[in-house]
Structures are given as structure tokens and as C-alpha cells.
Amino acid sequence: QVQLVESGGGLVQSGGSLRLSCAASGLTFRRYAMSWYRQTPGKERELVAVLASDGVITIYDDSVKGRFTMSRDNAKTNVYLQMNNLKPEDTAVYYCHAEYNFGSLNYWGQGTQVTVSS
């Protein structure tokens, strides 16, 4: 019933920008903490940013601070990850995640590929 669909990934040159979108359906959007994760081959899935249900946004990956921002559009039931000054090391599959009641409910999107060329 709950579905998260990521979009906006693609291939960009180093220094370019992308905005990822996560469209959520089947949930009361404002009650969920929304997160962006990313995963590269050989690495664990890494938490990038969290938008808590109270609206507080926290960037957890120090390497993207100052370059990435997260936002929420309650009217559209979307969350976004604005990625600026992209670097090759940002190349990963980016996943949207929704969490309710401290993990009692968890939902994942299928991911969207971001590739940054040198």
C-alpha cells in the first residue's frame, strides 16, 4: 500500500547539480521521518540526510555538508535532495526511506542511480 518512488537521478559532470525527488503514497506523509540513503558497490548503505517528522533536517554525511540539502513538500507528498557541486565520489544509488514511530514501520524506494563523471 505504501510506495516510495525516487526520480531525478542521472549522469552529470563533476561540479554539476541534480535534484532527487521521492514521491510517497499510501501514508500520512507528515507523520513519517523521511531519509535519503546512498549505496556504492562494496559499501554499506549510508545515511545521508534525515527530515524528521517535526521538520528538523539533519545532514549525517559530512562529505556532503554544504553541497546537499533536503526539503519536503507536504502538498505534493514529496521529499527532495538537492545535490550541488557533485563529485565522482557521490556516485551511488540513492534511496528514499520512510520511517514511522521510531522504526515500527519502514519503507524503501527502489533507488535512483546517480553517476558523476570526472
Side-chain angles (χ1 to χ4, degrees):
Q1 293 182 355
V2 174
Q3 187 175 25
L4 305 177
V5 180
E6 302 96 336
S7 62
L11 174 64
V12 298
Q13 297 284 336
S14 180
S17 298
L18 287 172
R19 189 177 76 161
L20 306 183
S21 298
C22 174
S25 61
L27 54 78
T28 303
F29 185 84
R30 296 175 188 85
R31 297 182 180 179
Y32 285 75
M34 305 298 297
S35 303
W36 286 99
Y37 288 74
R38 66 184 182 182
Q39 187 169 24
T40 58
K43 292 186 177 181
E44 298 292 326
R45 191 167 296 184
E46 175 193 20
L47 178 63
V48 177
V50 175
L51 194 162
S53 59
D54 62 1
V56 176
I57 299 171
T58 304
I59 304 296
Y60 284 90
D61 190 329
D62 289 338
S63 71
V64 308
K65 288 183 178 179
R67 300 188 296 117
F68 290 11
T69 57
M70 188 176 180
S71 61
R72 176 177 63 192
D73 184 344
N74 290 329
K76 302 293 185 180
T77 64
N78 289 343
V79 294
Y80 306 92
L81 186 67
Q82 178 67 47
M83 306 184 295
N84 298 322
N85 192 23
L86 284 161
K87 303 175 180 180
E89 51 263 42
D90 296 319
T91 296
V93 177
Y94 285 73
Y95 297 91
C96 182
H97 176 259
E99 176 180 326
Y100 178 74
N101 193 25
F102 299 98
S104 62
L105 295 174
N106 291 274
Y107 303 97
W108 291 95
Q110 294 300 306
T112 185
Q113 177 71 48
V114 172
T115 302
V116 184
S117 62
S118 300

